[in-house]
């Protein structure tokens, strides 16, 4: 379920797909619609994007893809993710992402395109795509951490903490989990207090000078996910989904069991 409430110029969009906010195809498109509608509403000056439950986002619903005997669900998930990530970027007003718990796979695509990130102390960020036979959202991870850090995270499926991202400058504020919503709304309120005509132009201007072409580069990444699926490699890797992971390098103590993401 995705809900939107507008109050004082702040549109609060809340994602709630138990148990881990791994979104089905329809969920990604619904989120895109909510984001774009909020930006098109003249009463909205800023968006807060947050989630209920155990974590912010665990990517796509892999089980939905596994149930599909063809590639319809995979194509839908890829198009849905593209639409949702682009909607964060294209939303006519700034988007403040409030992140708690795990932010994995598709979650990275959302926050990597956000304008401001506020995170709880327990938040962790990662792209365990290679463990699911997929690729994607390296575009967005590279906006959150330095290039070589992003490569290491992708190759090893390791996660980074909110404190690390704060040190890199990509997370604006780190707060106790109980204060996350209030902290995100406080930042949003600062933005909402500005002249909305100027803020909307500022968002458009930042997108216009962005060194990343986030849509093109993410679409390029998606092509490799399709290659892995057509070659049958993705099915082999995904067949172990849900199994106990092999012992390996620590990932900042965060379990990858929550991940269902193909990003």
């Amino acid at each position: 379920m995705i809900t939107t409430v507008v109050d004082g110029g702040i549109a609060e969009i809340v994602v709630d797909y138990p148990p881990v906010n791994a979104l089905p195809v329809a969920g990604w498109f619904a989120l895109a619609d909510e984001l774009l509608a909020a930006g098109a509403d003249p009463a909205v000056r800023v968006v807060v994007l947050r989630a209920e439950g155990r974590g912010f986002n665990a990517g796509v619903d892999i089980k939905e893809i596994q149930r599909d005997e063809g590639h319809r669900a995979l194509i839908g998930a890829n198009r849905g993710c593209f639409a949702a990530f682009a909607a964060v970027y294209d939303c006519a007003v700034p988007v403040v992402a409030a992140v708690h718990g795990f932010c994995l796979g598709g979650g990275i695509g959302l926050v990597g395109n956000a304008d401001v990130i506020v995170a709880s102390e327990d938040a962790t960020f990662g792209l365990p795509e290679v463990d699911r036979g997929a690729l994607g959202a390296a575009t967005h991870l590279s906006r959150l951490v330095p290039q070589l850090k992003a490569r290491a995270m992708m190759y090893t499926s390791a996660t980074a903490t909110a404190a690390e991202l704060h040190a890199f400058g990509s997370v604006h504020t780190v707060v106790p989990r109980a204060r996350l919503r209030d902290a995100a709304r406080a930042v949003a309120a600062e933005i909402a207090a500005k002249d909305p005509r100027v803020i909307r132009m500022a968002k458009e201007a930042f997108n216009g000078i962005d060194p990343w072409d986030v849509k093109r580069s993410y679409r390029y990444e998606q092509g490799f996910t399709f290659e892995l699926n057509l070659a049958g490699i993705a099915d082999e890797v995904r067949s172990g989904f849900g199994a106990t992971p092999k012992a390996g390098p620590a990932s900042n103590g965060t379990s990858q069991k929550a991940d269902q993401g193909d990003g």
Side-chain angles (χ1 to χ4, degrees):
M1 175 185 293
I2 298 172
T3 58
T4 301
V5 175
V6 179
D7 179 31
I10 301 173
E12 189 170 353
I13 300 176
V14 183
V15 178
D16 188 9
Y17 276 84
V20 293
N21 286 323
L23 302 188
V25 171
W28 290 106
F29 283 109
L31 179 55
D33 290 343
E34 293 290 328
L35 286 159
L36 294 177
D41 184 347
V44 173
R45 298 186 172 200
V46 61
V47 169
V48 171
L49 175 61
R50 67 178 187 87
E52 294 287 351
R54 292 164 49 192
F56 177 77
N57 188 278
V60 307
D61 185 351
I62 280 186
K63 293 180 181 178
E64 182 181 35
I65 294 174
Q66 289 175 321
R67 289 192 298 268
D68 185 2
E69 296 181 357
H71 295 298
R72 187 172 180 177
L74 174 68
I75 293 171
N78 275 265
R79 286 190 173 274
C81 284
F82 182 89
F85 302 169
V88 174
Y89 193 79
D90 291 335
C91 183
V93 298
V95 176
V96 178
V99 182
H100 75 282
F102 45 80
C103 178
L104 302 168
I108 295 294
L110 296 173
V111 302
N113 272 358
D115 297 278
V116 181
I117 304 169
V118 177
S120 61
E121 293 169 338
D122 68 342
T124 53
F125 302 77
L127 271 188
E129 311 305 273
V130 297
D131 291 338
R132 300 294 175 254
L135 295 172
T139 292
H140 310 90
L141 183 63
S142 295
R143 294 161 70 85
L144 301 175
V145 303
Q147 177 65 223
L148 292 181
K149 174 74 171 179
R151 286 175 180 256
M153 288 176 66
M154 171 69 83
Y155 302 153
T156 66
S157 297
T159 56
T161 65
E164 287 181 90
L165 267 62
H166 182 261
F168 294 138
S170 50
V171 165
H172 179 273
T173 310
V174 180
V175 297
R177 185 158 175 174
R179 290 181 48 210
L180 178 62
R181 180 172 180 265
D182 288 343
R185 289 188 64 89
V187 174
E190 287 189 58
I191 298 171
K194 307 298 183 183
D195 189 307
R197 298 166 298 181
V198 179
I199 291 297
R200 285 174 178 262
M201 285 193 181
K203 172 77 182 262
E204 186 176 358
F206 262 111
N207 284 2
I209 63 170
D210 201 328
W212 273 274
D213 185 340
V214 293
K215 297 177 186 177
R216 182 198 62 78
S217 58
Y218 176 57
R219 197 61 172 155
Y220 177 82
E221 290 185 74
Q222 286 184 317
F224 291 97
T225 293
F226 286 123
E227 284 191 33
L228 288 166
N229 277 270
L230 289 173
I233 298 169
D235 286 337
E236 292 179 22
V237 176
R238 277 199 298 262
S239 65
F241 175 69
T244 301
K246 296 178 181 179
S251 300
N252 295 328
T254 299
S255 169
Q256 297 298 328
K257 189 176 181 180
D259 173 59
Q260 300 196 25
D262 263 345

